[in-house]
Amino acid sequence: MQTTKLCKGVRLTEFFMPTLRNAPSDAKIVSHQLMLRAGMIRQESSGIYSWLPLGYRILTKISEIISQEQNKIGACEMLMPTIQSADLWKKSGRYDDYGQEMLRINDRHNQEMLFGPTNEEMITDIFANFAQSYKDLPKNIFQIQWKFRDEIRPRFGVMRGREFLMKDGYGFAIDEEQHKKIYNKIFVSYLRTFARLGVKAIPMQADTGPIGGKLSHEFIILADTGESEIFCDKEVIDLDILQEKIDYRGDLEPIVNKWTEKYASTDEMFVEQEWAKVPDTNKIATRGIEVGHIFYFGTKYSEPLGLKVADKDGSLKPLHMGSYGIGVSRVFAGIIEACHDEKGIVFPSSVAPFDVGLVNVSLKDENCTKTCDEYYETLQNNDIEVAYDDRDIGAGAKFSDMELIGLPWVIVVGKKSIEKGLVELKNRTTGQTQDLSFEQAINIVKGK
RNA sequence: CGGGAUAUGGCGCAGUCUGGUAGCGCACUUGUUUUGGGUACAAGGGGUCGUUGGUUCAAAUCCAGCUAUCCCGACCA
């Protein structure tokens, strides 16, 4: 994938990627263990992590896919501060409701501040300053930003951290009907986003919880290690959004219906009678990880925060709003939960930190190293992202690291292959290897 | 917040019951060896045993407080 800020290649002699042979014993679930072993993250406190270069690179790729899909539906990316004034929250009435989960801070003037757990209040306040008329609507705005929720019990690595990266989007409409159109766009864009990230995310009717409101869906990745128990019709899983022709300016209701008409539910919303209607052969009861949640909450925030605009008849109407979240750092872990084997991570190509690993197994052989150096440049010139293992360590260790970090392809170059004029191309998913010319290998990797 | 557990070198662990100046594997450094799946041998470096206090001639080890981290529950992207 083309990204705006990531370099196309790294030499592992220069790259900071501290892989571990054993996972720290604190890590209990596979995504946490693999992220630590691959040198992607480091725990700083309970539920708070540093993102090391490899992890940060993947996080950036995930963010970029999310942004791209949001841009397609006309959502506008912006950035709000992580630190907010308590005043706004007192106005909305959530300052007390949010309770201990909100990290409160006093500044030097003893002003009450807080590290934002979410941004409904702030975006509403911002929008209220500018929106005057129904002509300013509808609007859909989002950001990808760090949040802090002081969870009672952080666990499972970045899956349930206290500090986490979240895409939070907010929709503004003049009435429920107009909001429904935004909601449908978001719904479809989420399906596409998760599909592009290489995971199956199933939308499920959700409880609106403390955010409040009327309409809500959760998006859940299937993984045996998931926290929620889920029940769904196999046919929902088999649907493929990337095969659908989508016109975001047209009517999306048929697509939304297609994804919501079959039964899919978490245990919280489970209805025995509905489940009974699903044919036994289609019944799938498994576990899942919630990676996205979208809400329509009507005028819940616009009323107390005074967000009104003039309607066609000149009367002031409170806006109808929704908020839409994707747990970016969580989906990272979710992808690994869904995509790994006994050797390590098997990244979907869209989020793999590099397209290919280039392994020099005959480092001491001048000719081999010279050839590898050339290949390294050529791959980058072909827009292939490459991790070049030019470290002076055993071949086995190099192979193991490549498998651990989950690159889709590895090109192995050694004295023997040089003599034959070939390279060995290895597929991470199948484990199969083939001897090819370097040019053939490039074409296969490019044809991902 | 209730219940349970842990804290010894970068990582994984032993030693604690039965106090006697800290050990193993991996990793790291140097040399030889090996050279396409974590090679072998040799020689090294690195730890105030979470913290504070107590008992004792002597504490990683016994006792108490504190802190951190993890697991199970209720809450959540």
Side-chain angles (χ1 to χ4, degrees):
Chain A
M1 187 189 70
Q2 288 306 298
T3 50
T4 49
K5 64 186 279 190
L6 301 178
C7 60
K8 286 207 190 109
V10 296
R11 285 173 178 267
L12 294 192
T13 48
E14 296 172 343
F15 198 53
F16 180 57
M17 188 183 84
T19 55
L20 299 170
R21 210 154 167 176
N22 304 322
S25 57
D26 277 353
K28 308 292 177 193
I29 66 164
V30 68
S31 61
H32 190 194
Q33 292 169 344
L34 288 173
M35 286 174 85
L36 289 167
R37 283 190 52 210
M40 293 174 177
I41 54 169
R42 193 183 89 120
Q43 180 167 345
E44 300 298 346
S45 298
S46 179
I48 300 178
Y49 293 83
S50 285
W51 294 80
L52 308 183
L54 188 68
Y56 183 59
R57 187 176 173 97
I58 297 159
L59 197 63
T60 303
K61 290 199 165 196
I62 294 171
S63 301
E64 185 141 324
I65 289 175
I66 293 170
S67 290
Q68 285 171 356
E69 291 301 319
Q70 290 302 293
N71 291 337
K72 282 183 193 161
I73 61 168
C76 314
E77 186 158 7
M78 67 172 294
L79 186 60
M80 287 177 258
T82 51
I83 305 291
Q84 308 181 22
S85 158
D87 290 353
L88 275 176
W89 287 72
K90 288 179 177 166
K91 248 194 259 178
S92 75
R94 286 210 294 177
Y95 192 62
D96 296 322
D97 293 354
Y98 228 95
Q100 293 280 296
E101 211 169 274
M102 187 152 69
L103 181 66
R104 292 143 206 262
I105 309 162
N106 282 9
D107 71 10
R108 67 195 298 164
H109 305 295
N110 215 28
Q111 287 289 322
E112 292 177 281
M113 312 295 282
L114 57 95
F115 196 115
T118 176
N119 286 58
E120 279 88 3
E121 281 78 0
M122 185 172 283
I123 190 68
T124 306
D125 191 54
I126 290 170
F127 203 69
N129 256 283
F130 298 106
Q132 305 289 333
S133 151
Y134 74 95
K135 290 176 185 169
D136 294 327
L137 302 170
K139 285 285 184 287
N140 188 352
I141 296 171
F142 77 102
Q143 65 174 346
I144 293 175
Q145 179 218 31
W146 292 97
K147 302 289 187 290
F148 193 92
R149 294 184 191 171
D150 201 356
E151 294 275 345
I152 299 167
R153 184 153 89 89
R155 61 185 126 162
F156 304 145
V158 299
M159 187 87 81
R160 181 182 299 285
R162 292 193 291 173
E163 188 184 55
F164 58 98
L165 190 62
M166 177 175 168
K167 172 260 162 184
D168 48 323
Y170 306 91
F172 302 90
I174 191 69
D175 55 25
E176 184 162 356
E177 193 194 334
Q178 193 178 54
H179 185 271
K180 178 69 177 164
K181 287 182 183 162
I182 302 178
Y183 192 92
N184 285 350
K185 283 186 189 177
I186 285 283
F187 189 100
V188 175
S189 74
Y190 272 33
L191 290 176
R192 280 190 50 89
T193 301
F194 293 120
R196 281 189 59 194
L197 293 173
V199 288
K200 278 276 174 199
I202 317 291
M204 302 192 184
Q205 193 87 42
D207 193 358
T208 53
I211 293 180
K214 307 169 176 179
L215 178 60
S216 176
H217 285 93
E218 289 178 353
F219 291 77
I220 296 189
I221 291 180
L222 302 183
D224 298 337
T225 47
E227 287 190 78
S228 3
E229 226 177 314
I230 60 168
F231 304 87
C232 74
D233 190 319
K234 184 173 170 297
E235 288 182 28
V236 191
I237 298 176
D238 293 340
L239 294 172
D240 183 0
I241 191 70
L242 299 179
Q243 299 300 318
E244 299 283 333
K245 201 167 170 97
I246 291 162
D247 174 12
Y248 280 125
R249 305 191 72 84
D251 183 12
L252 297 172
E253 199 71 22
I255 293 179
V256 173
N257 287 341
K258 193 169 172 181
W259 260 264
T260 51
E261 64 194 6
K262 298 291 176 194
Y263 191 78
S265 165
T266 60
D267 52 346
E268 287 159 357
M269 300 286 283
F270 184 70
V271 181
E272 188 70 51
Q273 294 92 315
E274 293 296 314
W275 180 238
K277 293 180 194 163
V278 179
D280 279 352
T281 48
N282 278 8
K283 278 183 179 161
I284 293 192
T286 177
R287 304 194 72 82
I289 301 160
E290 184 188 344
V291 287
H293 202 159
I294 63 180
F295 300 86
Y296 164 61
F297 44 68
T299 59
K300 177 177 162 123
Y301 296 95
S302 53
E303 298 250 33
L305 295 167
L307 174 49
K308 296 179 182 179
V309 299
D311 202 352
K312 285 177 185 169
D313 61 2
S315 65
L316 290 180
K317 298 266 176 65
L319 293 196
H320 287 249
M321 293 176 54
S323 75
Y324 331 104
I326 294 177
V328 182
S329 42
R330 173 180 286 185
V331 82
F332 188 149
I335 290 168
I336 296 175
E337 288 293 329
C339 312
H340 67 271
D341 62 18
E342 67 288 343
K343 291 176 176 170
I345 304 167
V346 186
F347 271 118
S349 58
S350 58
V351 293
F354 301 94
D355 301 315
V356 65
L358 175 63
V359 174
N360 180 355
V361 290
S362 307
L363 199 78
K364 299 267 155 53
D365 185 88
E366 238 175 73
N367 190 28
C368 181
T369 295
K370 188 165 157 278
T371 306
C372 280
D373 287 350
E374 284 166 15
Y375 286 176
Y376 176 56
E377 297 299 328
T378 307
L379 286 164
Q380 294 178 79
N381 292 338
N382 277 274
D383 279 336
I384 293 169
E385 293 180 4
V386 51
Y388 175 22
D389 197 343
D390 57 342
R391 295 175 297 177
D392 185 15
I393 57 172
K398 296 187 180 194
F399 295 140
S400 299
D401 273 353
M402 288 299 180
E403 281 154 355
L404 176 62
I405 68 175
L407 304 187
W409 299 99
V410 175
I411 291 175
V412 183
V413 182
K415 214 157 81 178
K416 290 180 197 166
S417 53
I418 295 264
E419 282 162 12
K420 284 188 281 181
L422 299 173
V423 298
E424 184 181 300
L425 182 67
K426 184 157 33 173
N427 182 296
R428 178 66 180 87
T429 310
T430 63
Q432 285 172 349
T433 61
Q434 45 187 334
D435 287 329
L436 303 164
S437 73
F438 179 57
E439 288 68 28
Q440 284 175 309
I442 285 185
N443 286 333
I444 291 177
V445 172
K446 269 181 127 172
K448 52 184 171 155

